[in-house]
Amino acid sequence: MTQPSSIESISTARFRELQQSPDCFVIDVREIAEYAAGCESGSCNWPLSNLSAEKVAELVQANQLSPDKKLVLLCARGMRARQAAEKLQALVPNPLLVVEGGRAALHPLPAGAPLPIERQVRIAAGSLVLLGVLLSWLIHPAFIGISAFVGAGLVFAGVTDWCGMAMLLMKMPWNQPK
């Protein structure tokens, strides 16, 4: 049995140095749709949900990864990359490097920039659902209709890919170009 490989957290600056090195191989463990929306040059996509011993063997063979080559793991914020490293630790002899903060740290929002619309929608929808539940519990059961309305809106947005709340949020002053 091979000795477990080491896991090391690295900064974004260290990642940028290693990114151009032939001594490392960058694996983005985000899902396929996330990767397609934007990725780091030279990285390959290998979703955490597809991680298995068989897939590891295929990856190592297909990319001729020698045991001394560093595997740099990247995801949106660093949590899935850490999980992938812990799973890979017993399967590969390669040193495993996890980028602290993931792509969010590599591409931070400019100071004063609004949150992405998708996050604003999740915050607003979650707040409205919570408000509806609390009001129905504390004031009158009919307030549960707020939560039901927001839930129905989320289902509609998921099915049609049209979100009225997102449209409203895009018109808010904090989302307008300065």
Side-chain angles (χ1 to χ4, degrees):
M1 187 169 158
T2 62
Q3 184 174 342
S5 54
S6 63
I7 299 175
E8 178 187 343
S9 291
I10 61 170
S11 67
T12 56
R14 178 78 175 120
F15 171 73
R16 292 291 185 211
E17 291 171 13
L18 288 170
Q19 193 175 17
Q20 306 306 319
S21 169
D23 297 333
C24 81
F25 187 77
V26 181
I27 302 171
D28 191 321
V29 299
R30 295 175 299 149
E31 293 301 315
I32 294 168
E34 293 174 283
Y35 185 80
C39 60
E40 297 304 309
S41 65
S43 67
C44 81
N45 183 226
W46 189 21
L48 177 61
S49 61
N50 293 341
L51 188 66
S52 67
E54 297 81 26
K55 295 285 184 183
V56 170
E58 289 173 20
L59 178 80
V60 169
Q61 185 177 18
N63 294 287
Q64 300 173 346
L65 298 177
S66 61
D68 59 331
K69 195 166 223 179
K70 296 175 178 82
L71 298 183
V72 181
L73 302 168
L74 181 65
C75 67
R77 301 206 181 284
M79 292 170 278
R80 285 179 284 177
R82 173 64 59 180
Q83 290 173 348
E86 289 167 1
K87 286 183 178 183
L88 286 173
Q89 192 173 25
L91 300 173
V92 296
N94 305 69
L96 301 166
L97 309 175
V98 175
V99 180
E100 293 174 2
R103 280 190 44 96
L106 289 166
H107 305 282
L109 291 173
L115 291 173
I117 293 295
E118 181 184 342
R119 286 188 62 195
Q120 291 181 43
V121 167
R122 287 185 291 188
I123 291 167
S127 298
L128 287 170
V129 167
L130 183 59
L131 179 67
V133 169
L134 288 174
L135 289 175
S136 70
W137 184 51
L138 296 172
I139 298 176
H140 192 276
F143 280 109
I144 200 70
I146 296 171
S147 300
F149 179 75
V150 173
L154 290 170
V155 170
F156 180 80
V159 171
T160 64
D161 201 25
W162 184 88
C163 180
M165 187 181 292
M167 299 297 187
L168 287 172
L169 286 169
M170 283 190 266
K171 295 180 186 297
M172 292 294 128
W174 60 84
N175 287 321
Q176 299 305 310
K178 295 186 172 39

